Amino acid sequence: MNFNRTRGFKLVLAQLCAGLFCLAVFSVTLSAQPVDRKEIVKRARQAYYSLKGEGLAEFHCAMEPNWDTLLADLKKTDPEAATRGVQKLNQLRFSATVTPGGDAKVTHNELSAENAQVAEGLKQVYHGMEQMTVGFFQTWSAFMMTPSLPEVEDDYQLDDLGAQYRLTYKDGAADVTTTMGKNLAISELKVNTKEFKSVLSPQFTKTLKGFLLSGYQATYVGATPAETTELQVDIAYQLADGLQVPKQLNLKGSYGGSPFAVEVAFKDCHATRQ
């Protein structure tokens, strides 16, 4: 994602100077100045909407999955079974509680099972929804609780690539490379460890309180091709007690080559502040 710095300041300076010579001298002088990495990282950290900075203690939402979407493939091969499945699953009630650390606790009611096969199917649904919700909020929180950037005084390298900045640093055992435009919006985040490699490309909406994560594409590669995940995520927001929290999550992609699609609505959300 490339962003160009506005040229208005240069234009005004050129008008104040005595012609093109002054502008040329200014340009040479400007390009010769070293990058103040700490100042750039400081401004970048301030450029993002932060629920933690807004004083969030936790928020709680009811979750309503779109079961028709999840059972779309079954509906093509066995419409009656899909209809029975949707009717059963519509009795489920999920909720999620999220804290500033990005931890999500998922709760749900228990449905009665007619037989062992249904019981096993429900068990997989419970586990799958919990796994999906926890995984989503772990990624989401890396941009929405605090910015996915090092602290100003941490050890990192920042390179000016012209239209972008490249930030490299260690986060525990992980090697992290972050690319962001000159407007400080992150365009790519790479994380490499011995166990996996990931590439995430976020999209943001600019608000009065900073960049708000509106979606992302991501690829996670594990030890084997069967552990590869491709994701496309879109997020809509709502205000809960004055704080931005998800309203709608649309997630699609593949795991080990098998496609999936999930739609979840977040309702009756309430947030508390510290």
Side-chain angles (χ1 to χ4, degrees):
M1 191 184 308
N2 295 327
F3 297 89
N4 293 321
R5 191 185 299 271
T6 61
R7 295 178 173 81
F9 178 62
K10 280 191 175 183
L11 182 59
V12 172
L13 182 68
Q15 292 171 345
L16 293 175
C17 294
L20 295 176
F21 176 74
C22 181
L23 177 59
V25 172
F26 173 78
S27 299
V28 172
T29 303
L30 181 64
S31 63
Q33 293 176 349
V35 175
D36 187 340
R37 66 186 187 94
K38 289 187 177 182
E39 178 61 25
I40 292 171
V41 171
K42 178 181 178 181
R43 288 194 291 111
R45 291 183 61 83
Q46 296 170 344
Y48 292 82
Y49 182 88
S50 169
L51 282 167
K52 189 173 182 180
E54 292 289 311
L56 175 74
E58 69 175 29
F59 70 86
H60 176 88
C61 296
M63 297 170 55
E64 291 189 5
N66 186 332
W67 301 114
D68 285 304
T69 299
L70 278 170
L71 298 180
D73 288 340
L74 178 61
K75 186 177 293 187
K76 296 175 183 177
T77 58
D78 193 341
E80 291 185 2
T83 298
R84 291 194 301 270
V86 169
Q87 291 173 346
K88 183 77 172 180
L89 294 172
N90 276 337
Q91 301 174 46
L92 279 172
R93 298 293 179 265
F94 285 94
S95 64
T97 301
V98 184
T99 62
D103 298 320
K105 181 180 179 180
V106 180
T107 59
H108 61 84
N109 60 332
E110 296 280 348
L111 300 184
S112 60
E114 295 81 2
N115 51 56
Q117 184 179 6
V118 173
E120 180 60 27
L122 287 172
K123 182 179 178 180
Q124 292 179 10
V125 170
Y126 301 151
H127 177 70
M129 282 300 300
E130 180 176 5
Q131 188 178 44
M132 182 276 296
T133 303
V134 170
F136 164 69
F137 278 115
Q138 285 177 343
T139 300
W140 179 84
S141 296
F143 296 93
M144 289 295 297
M145 294 298 181
T146 55
S148 187
L149 294 164
E151 297 287 345
V152 174
E153 299 301 327
D154 284 352
D155 185 19
Y156 52 85
Q157 180 176 334
L158 187 141
D159 298 309
D160 189 338
L161 305 181
Q164 295 177 317
Y165 294 117
R166 181 177 60 207
L167 193 62
T168 53
Y169 59 98
K170 297 280 289 188
D171 185 0
D175 294 313
V176 182
T177 302
T178 301
T179 304
M180 57 185 177
K182 289 300 178 75
N183 69 343
L184 307 178
I186 295 173
S187 58
E188 185 179 77
L189 178 64
K190 292 182 178 180
V191 180
N192 292 336
T193 72
K194 291 182 179 179
E195 291 77 26
F196 73 93
K197 295 181 179 180
S198 69
V199 179
L200 188 146
S201 301
Q203 294 88 47
F204 299 96
T205 299
K206 187 65 181 290
T207 72
L208 293 176
K209 292 189 175 182
F211 292 116
L212 190 72
L213 182 70
S214 58
Y216 57 87
Q217 292 89 40
T219 301
Y220 303 91
V221 181
T224 67
E227 299 176 61
T228 299
T229 301
E230 300 278 351
L231 287 176
Q232 166 67 55
V233 179
D234 295 302
I235 311 160
Y237 287 87
Q238 62 187 319
L239 286 176
D241 300 296
L243 299 177
Q244 296 278 3
V245 301
K247 179 181 180 180
Q248 180 77 25
L249 169 65
N250 294 338
L251 184 153
K252 60 183 179 181
S254 64
Y255 176 71
S258 300
F260 58 84
V262 182
E263 295 179 7
V264 180
F266 295 89
K267 298 185 175 181
D268 301 321
C269 296
H270 296 283
T272 57
R273 299 174 188 259
Q274 296 176 346

mmCIF file of all heavy atoms in Angstrom, residues 55-87:
data_model
loop_
_atom_site.group_PDB
_atom_site.id
_atom_site.type_symbol
_atom_site.label_atom_id
_atom_site.label_comp_id
_atom_site.label_asym_id
_atom_site.label_seq_id
_atom_site.Cartn_x
_atom_site.Cartn_y
_atom_site.Cartn_z
ATOM 1 N N GLY A 55 -9.275 3.376 27.328
ATOM 2 C CA GLY A 55 -9.602 2.961 28.686
ATOM 3 C C GLY A 55 -10.426 1.695 28.803
ATOM 4 O O GLY A 55 -11.009 1.425 29.862
ATOM 5 N N LEU A 56 -10.462 0.871 27.750
ATOM 6 C CA LEU A 56 -11.256 -0.348 27.799
ATOM 7 C C LEU A 56 -10.799 -1.291 28.906
ATOM 8 O O LEU A 56 -9.604 -1.560 29.051
ATOM 9 C CB LEU A 56 -11.173 -1.070 26.453
ATOM 10 C CG LEU A 56 -11.877 -2.433 26.394
ATOM 11 C CD1 LEU A 56 -13.388 -2.256 26.338
ATOM 12 C CD2 LEU A 56 -11.382 -3.249 25.208
ATOM 13 N N ALA A 57 -11.780 -1.800 29.664
ATOM 14 C CA ALA A 57 -11.508 -2.879 30.615
ATOM 15 C C ALA A 57 -11.881 -4.217 29.985
ATOM 16 O O ALA A 57 -11.127 -5.182 30.053
ATOM 17 C CB ALA A 57 -12.279 -2.660 31.909
ATOM 18 N N GLU A 58 -13.057 -4.263 29.352
ATOM 19 C CA GLU A 58 -13.488 -5.424 28.586
ATOM 20 C C GLU A 58 -14.763 -5.071 27.835
ATOM 21 O O GLU A 58 -15.437 -4.088 28.161
ATOM 22 C CB GLU A 58 -13.729 -6.647 29.478
ATOM 23 C CG GLU A 58 -14.920 -6.528 30.396
ATOM 24 C CD GLU A 58 -15.194 -7.817 31.169
ATOM 25 O OE1 GLU A 58 -14.246 -8.582 31.437
ATOM 26 O OE2 GLU A 58 -16.376 -8.050 31.504
ATOM 27 N N PHE A 59 -15.087 -5.869 26.816
ATOM 28 C CA PHE A 59 -16.396 -5.750 26.203
ATOM 29 C C PHE A 59 -16.975 -7.136 25.984
ATOM 30 O O PHE A 59 -16.247 -8.126 25.876
ATOM 31 C CB PHE A 59 -16.374 -4.928 24.905
ATOM 32 C CG PHE A 59 -15.692 -5.567 23.728
ATOM 33 C CD1 PHE A 59 -16.382 -6.433 22.875
ATOM 34 C CD2 PHE A 59 -14.360 -5.289 23.440
ATOM 35 C CE1 PHE A 59 -15.758 -7.009 21.785
ATOM 36 C CE2 PHE A 59 -13.731 -5.858 22.346
ATOM 37 C CZ PHE A 59 -14.429 -6.726 21.516
ATOM 38 N N HIS A 60 -18.300 -7.163 25.935
ATOM 39 C CA HIS A 60 -19.025 -8.426 25.858
ATOM 40 C C HIS A 60 -20.071 -8.321 24.764
ATOM 41 O O HIS A 60 -20.775 -7.316 24.666
ATOM 42 C CB HIS A 60 -19.697 -8.733 27.195
ATOM 43 C CG HIS A 60 -20.541 -9.974 27.178
ATOM 44 N ND1 HIS A 60 -20.040 -11.229 27.442
ATOM 45 C CD2 HIS A 60 -21.868 -10.152 26.918
ATOM 46 C CE1 HIS A 60 -21.015 -12.113 27.347
ATOM 47 N NE2 HIS A 60 -22.137 -11.491 27.029
ATOM 48 N N CYS A 61 -20.178 -9.340 23.909
ATOM 49 C CA CYS A 61 -21.159 -9.354 22.826
ATOM 50 C C CYS A 61 -21.780 -10.737 22.704
ATOM 51 O O CYS A 61 -21.099 -11.756 22.899
ATOM 52 C CB CYS A 61 -20.520 -9.017 21.475
ATOM 53 S SG CYS A 61 -19.839 -7.363 21.320
ATOM 54 N N ALA A 62 -23.055 -10.760 22.339
ATOM 55 C CA ALA A 62 -23.661 -12.002 21.871
ATOM 56 C C ALA A 62 -23.234 -12.217 20.423
ATOM 57 O O ALA A 62 -23.040 -11.255 19.679
ATOM 58 C CB ALA A 62 -25.179 -11.917 21.969
ATOM 59 N N MET A 63 -23.060 -13.468 20.037
ATOM 60 C CA MET A 63 -22.610 -13.796 18.690
ATOM 61 C C MET A 63 -23.676 -14.620 17.976
ATOM 62 O O MET A 63 -24.159 -15.613 18.511
ATOM 63 C CB MET A 63 -21.298 -14.593 18.745
ATOM 64 C CG MET A 63 -20.130 -13.844 19.360
ATOM 65 S SD MET A 63 -18.722 -14.949 19.654
ATOM 66 C CE MET A 63 -18.468 -15.652 18.028
ATOM 67 N N GLU A 64 -24.021 -14.195 16.750
ATOM 68 C CA GLU A 64 -25.009 -14.928 15.950
ATOM 69 C C GLU A 64 -24.367 -15.357 14.633
ATOM 70 O O GLU A 64 -24.289 -14.576 13.677
ATOM 71 C CB GLU A 64 -26.243 -14.065 15.688
ATOM 72 C CG GLU A 64 -27.082 -13.800 16.927
ATOM 73 C CD GLU A 64 -28.397 -13.130 16.592
ATOM 74 O OE1 GLU A 64 -28.694 -12.969 15.380
ATOM 75 O OE2 GLU A 64 -29.131 -12.753 17.525
ATOM 76 N N PRO A 65 -23.885 -16.596 14.553
ATOM 77 C CA PRO A 65 -23.332 -17.099 13.282
ATOM 78 C C PRO A 65 -24.444 -17.274 12.249
ATOM 79 O O PRO A 65 -25.591 -17.563 12.588
ATOM 80 C CB PRO A 65 -22.720 -18.449 13.659
ATOM 81 C CG PRO A 65 -22.595 -18.425 15.161
ATOM 82 C CD PRO A 65 -23.720 -17.571 15.638
ATOM 83 N N ASN A 66 -24.094 -17.101 10.992
ATOM 84 C CA ASN A 66 -25.004 -17.374 9.896
ATOM 85 C C ASN A 66 -24.828 -18.839 9.513
ATOM 86 O O ASN A 66 -23.936 -19.197 8.737
ATOM 87 C CB ASN A 66 -24.696 -16.458 8.708
ATOM 88 C CG ASN A 66 -25.699 -16.596 7.583
ATOM 89 O OD1 ASN A 66 -26.306 -17.655 7.409
ATOM 90 N ND2 ASN A 66 -25.879 -15.544 6.802
ATOM 91 N N TRP A 67 -25.687 -19.703 10.055
ATOM 92 C CA TRP A 67 -25.530 -21.140 9.840
ATOM 93 C C TRP A 67 -25.827 -21.526 8.397
ATOM 94 O O TRP A 67 -25.307 -22.525 7.895
ATOM 95 C CB TRP A 67 -26.426 -21.912 10.802
ATOM 96 C CG TRP A 67 -26.124 -21.630 12.244
ATOM 97 C CD1 TRP A 67 -26.929 -21.014 13.154
ATOM 98 C CD2 TRP A 67 -24.907 -21.951 12.933
ATOM 99 N NE1 TRP A 67 -26.300 -20.929 14.372
ATOM 100 C CE2 TRP A 67 -25.049 -21.499 14.268
ATOM 101 C CE3 TRP A 67 -23.717 -22.565 12.574
ATOM 102 C CZ2 TRP A 67 -24.053 -21.651 15.217
ATOM 103 C CZ3 TRP A 67 -22.708 -22.709 13.524
ATOM 104 C CH2 TRP A 67 -22.889 -22.253 14.825
ATOM 105 N N ASP A 68 -26.676 -20.757 7.717
ATOM 106 C CA ASP A 68 -26.936 -21.041 6.299
ATOM 107 C C ASP A 68 -25.657 -20.952 5.483
ATOM 108 O O ASP A 68 -25.424 -21.742 4.567
ATOM 109 C CB ASP A 68 -27.963 -20.055 5.750
ATOM 110 C CG ASP A 68 -29.376 -20.367 6.219
ATOM 111 O OD1 ASP A 68 -29.824 -21.501 5.991
ATOM 112 O OD2 ASP A 68 -30.003 -19.490 6.816
ATOM 113 N N THR A 69 -24.811 -19.961 5.813
ATOM 114 C CA THR A 69 -23.535 -19.818 5.114
ATOM 115 C C THR A 69 -22.615 -20.995 5.413
ATOM 116 O O THR A 69 -21.975 -21.552 4.514
ATOM 117 C CB THR A 69 -22.851 -18.505 5.514
ATOM 118 O OG1 THR A 69 -23.685 -17.404 5.150
ATOM 119 C CG2 THR A 69 -21.499 -18.364 4.829
ATOM 120 N N LEU A 70 -22.548 -21.389 6.667
ATOM 121 C CA LEU A 70 -21.658 -22.480 7.055
ATOM 122 C C LEU A 70 -22.082 -23.816 6.439
ATOM 123 O O LEU A 70 -21.235 -24.672 6.155
ATOM 124 C CB LEU A 70 -21.631 -22.602 8.580
ATOM 125 C CG LEU A 70 -20.695 -21.646 9.314
ATOM 126 C CD1 LEU A 70 -20.946 -21.691 10.809
ATOM 127 C CD2 LEU A 70 -19.242 -21.992 9.020
ATOM 128 N N LEU A 71 -23.384 -23.994 6.220
ATOM 129 C CA LEU A 71 -23.873 -25.261 5.683
ATOM 130 C C LEU A 71 -24.230 -25.157 4.207
ATOM 131 O O LEU A 71 -24.992 -25.974 3.685
ATOM 132 C CB LEU A 71 -25.085 -25.730 6.485
ATOM 133 C CG LEU A 71 -24.835 -26.026 7.969
ATOM 134 C CD1 LEU A 71 -26.119 -26.493 8.646
ATOM 135 C CD2 LEU A 71 -23.731 -27.060 8.158
ATOM 136 N N ALA A 72 -23.680 -24.158 3.532
ATOM 137 C CA ALA A 72 -24.004 -23.942 2.119
ATOM 138 C C ALA A 72 -23.639 -25.144 1.253
ATOM 139 O O ALA A 72 -24.395 -25.533 0.352
ATOM 140 C CB ALA A 72 -23.300 -22.688 1.609
ATOM 141 N N ASP A 73 -22.490 -25.752 1.503
ATOM 142 C CA ASP A 73 -22.084 -26.916 0.694
ATOM 143 C C ASP A 73 -23.009 -28.104 0.930
ATOM 144 O O ASP A 73 -23.369 -28.833 -0.013
ATOM 145 C CB ASP A 73 -20.638 -27.297 1.010
ATOM 146 C CG ASP A 73 -19.639 -26.295 0.459
ATOM 147 O OD1 ASP A 73 -20.013 -25.550 -0.468
ATOM 148 O OD2 ASP A 73 -18.505 -26.245 0.963
ATOM 149 N N LEU A 74 -23.401 -28.322 2.193
ATOM 150 C CA LEU A 74 -24.305 -29.427 2.498
ATOM 151 C C LEU A 74 -25.665 -29.207 1.836
ATOM 152 O O LEU A 74 -26.300 -30.164 1.368
ATOM 153 C CB LEU A 74 -24.483 -29.566 4.012
ATOM 154 C CG LEU A 74 -25.451 -30.653 4.488
ATOM 155 C CD1 LEU A 74 -24.979 -32.035 4.035
ATOM 156 C CD2 LEU A 74 -25.601 -30.606 6.011
ATOM 157 N N LYS A 75 -26.097 -27.965 1.765
ATOM 158 C CA LYS A 75 -27.389 -27.649 1.161
ATOM 159 C C LYS A 75 -27.418 -28.055 -0.320
ATOM 160 O O LYS A 75 -28.459 -28.421 -0.855
ATOM 161 C CB LYS A 75 -27.685 -26.157 1.314
ATOM 162 C CG LYS A 75 -29.080 -25.740 0.855
ATOM 163 C CD LYS A 75 -29.318 -24.257 1.106
ATOM 164 C CE LYS A 75 -29.372 -23.959 2.582
ATOM 165 N NZ LYS A 75 -29.767 -22.532 2.828
ATOM 166 N N LYS A 76 -26.265 -28.014 -0.981
ATOM 167 C CA LYS A 76 -26.198 -28.383 -2.393
ATOM 168 C C LYS A 76 -26.397 -29.884 -2.600
ATOM 169 O O LYS A 76 -26.966 -30.318 -3.594
ATOM 170 C CB LYS A 76 -24.848 -27.960 -2.985
ATOM 171 C CG LYS A 76 -24.608 -26.453 -2.996
ATOM 172 C CD LYS A 76 -23.208 -26.143 -3.481
ATOM 173 C CE LYS A 76 -22.917 -24.660 -3.428
ATOM 174 N NZ LYS A 76 -21.523 -24.335 -3.837
ATOM 175 N N THR A 77 -25.905 -30.684 -1.630
ATOM 176 C CA THR A 77 -25.949 -32.137 -1.793
ATOM 177 C C THR A 77 -27.105 -32.786 -1.039
ATOM 178 O O THR A 77 -27.622 -33.820 -1.461
ATOM 179 C CB THR A 77 -24.623 -32.761 -1.311
ATOM 180 O OG1 THR A 77 -24.406 -32.393 0.066
ATOM 181 C CG2 THR A 77 -23.457 -32.249 -2.151
ATOM 182 N N ASP A 78 -27.502 -32.182 0.081
ATOM 183 C CA ASP A 78 -28.583 -32.757 0.896
ATOM 184 C C ASP A 78 -29.361 -31.617 1.545
ATOM 185 O O ASP A 78 -29.159 -31.311 2.729
ATOM 186 C CB ASP A 78 -27.998 -33.694 1.962
ATOM 187 C CG ASP A 78 -29.065 -34.554 2.632
ATOM 188 O OD1 ASP A 78 -30.262 -34.186 2.554
ATOM 189 O OD2 ASP A 78 -28.707 -35.573 3.249
ATOM 190 N N PRO A 79 -30.263 -30.975 0.802
ATOM 191 C CA PRO A 79 -31.002 -29.816 1.321
ATOM 192 C C PRO A 79 -31.783 -30.099 2.599
ATOM 193 O O PRO A 79 -31.833 -29.253 3.492
ATOM 194 C CB PRO A 79 -31.940 -29.455 0.161
ATOM 195 C CG PRO A 79 -31.295 -30.040 -1.050
ATOM 196 C CD PRO A 79 -30.620 -31.279 -0.593
ATOM 197 N N GLU A 80 -32.373 -31.285 2.712
ATOM 198 C CA GLU A 80 -33.164 -31.604 3.897
ATOM 199 C C GLU A 80 -32.283 -31.685 5.140
ATOM 200 O O GLU A 80 -32.641 -31.184 6.213
ATOM 201 C CB GLU A 80 -33.919 -32.913 3.685
ATOM 202 C CG GLU A 80 -35.027 -32.821 2.639
ATOM 203 C CD GLU A 80 -35.835 -34.108 2.550
ATOM 204 O OE1 GLU A 80 -35.555 -35.041 3.337
ATOM 205 O OE2 GLU A 80 -36.736 -34.176 1.695
ATOM 206 N N ALA A 81 -31.112 -32.304 4.993
ATOM 207 C CA ALA A 81 -30.189 -32.401 6.128
ATOM 208 C C ALA A 81 -29.681 -31.020 6.519
ATOM 209 O O ALA A 81 -29.527 -30.716 7.716
ATOM 210 C CB ALA A 81 -29.016 -33.315 5.779
ATOM 211 N N ALA A 82 -29.426 -30.167 5.535
ATOM 212 C CA ALA A 82 -28.975 -28.813 5.816
ATOM 213 C C ALA A 82 -30.041 -28.023 6.561
ATOM 214 O O ALA A 82 -29.740 -27.299 7.516
ATOM 215 C CB ALA A 82 -28.601 -28.102 4.514
ATOM 216 N N THR A 83 -31.290 -28.171 6.151
ATOM 217 C CA THR A 83 -32.392 -27.476 6.829
ATOM 218 C C THR A 83 -32.518 -27.936 8.279
ATOM 219 O O THR A 83 -32.685 -27.114 9.199
ATOM 220 C CB THR A 83 -33.714 -27.724 6.084
ATOM 221 O OG1 THR A 83 -33.613 -27.200 4.760
ATOM 222 C CG2 THR A 83 -34.876 -27.039 6.812
ATOM 223 N N ARG A 84 -32.437 -29.247 8.509
ATOM 224 C CA ARG A 84 -32.492 -29.766 9.887
ATOM 225 C C ARG A 84 -31.313 -29.245 10.705
ATOM 226 O O ARG A 84 -31.458 -28.891 11.884
ATOM 227 C CB ARG A 84 -32.490 -31.292 9.872
ATOM 228 C CG ARG A 84 -33.762 -31.916 9.314
ATOM 229 C CD ARG A 84 -33.813 -33.408 9.666
ATOM 230 N NE ARG A 84 -32.661 -34.125 9.140
ATOM 231 C CZ ARG A 84 -32.632 -34.703 7.932
ATOM 232 N NH1 ARG A 84 -33.687 -34.602 7.122
ATOM 233 N NH2 ARG A 84 -31.563 -35.356 7.528
ATOM 234 N N GLY A 85 -30.135 -29.176 10.068
ATOM 235 C CA GLY A 85 -28.958 -28.685 10.767
ATOM 236 C C GLY A 85 -29.095 -27.231 11.169
ATOM 237 O O GLY A 85 -28.755 -26.859 12.304
ATOM 238 N N VAL A 86 -29.597 -26.398 10.260
ATOM 239 C CA VAL A 86 -29.774 -24.976 10.568
ATOM 240 C C VAL A 86 -30.788 -24.793 11.699
ATOM 241 O O VAL A 86 -30.585 -23.991 12.614
ATOM 242 C CB VAL A 86 -30.219 -24.197 9.311
ATOM 243 C CG1 VAL A 86 -30.668 -22.782 9.677
ATOM 244 C CG2 VAL A 86 -29.086 -24.143 8.296
ATOM 245 N N GLN A 87 -31.880 -25.550 11.653
ATOM 246 C CA GLN A 87 -32.890 -25.460 12.711
ATOM 247 C C GLN A 87 -32.296 -25.830 14.065
ATOM 248 O O GLN A 87 -32.613 -25.209 15.092
ATOM 249 C CB GLN A 87 -34.070 -26.372 12.375
ATOM 250 C CG GLN A 87 -34.894 -25.893 11.196
ATOM 251 C CD GLN A 87 -35.958 -26.899 10.777
ATOM 252 O OE1 GLN A 87 -35.929 -28.063 11.183
ATOM 253 N NE2 GLN A 87 -36.914 -26.446 9.966
#
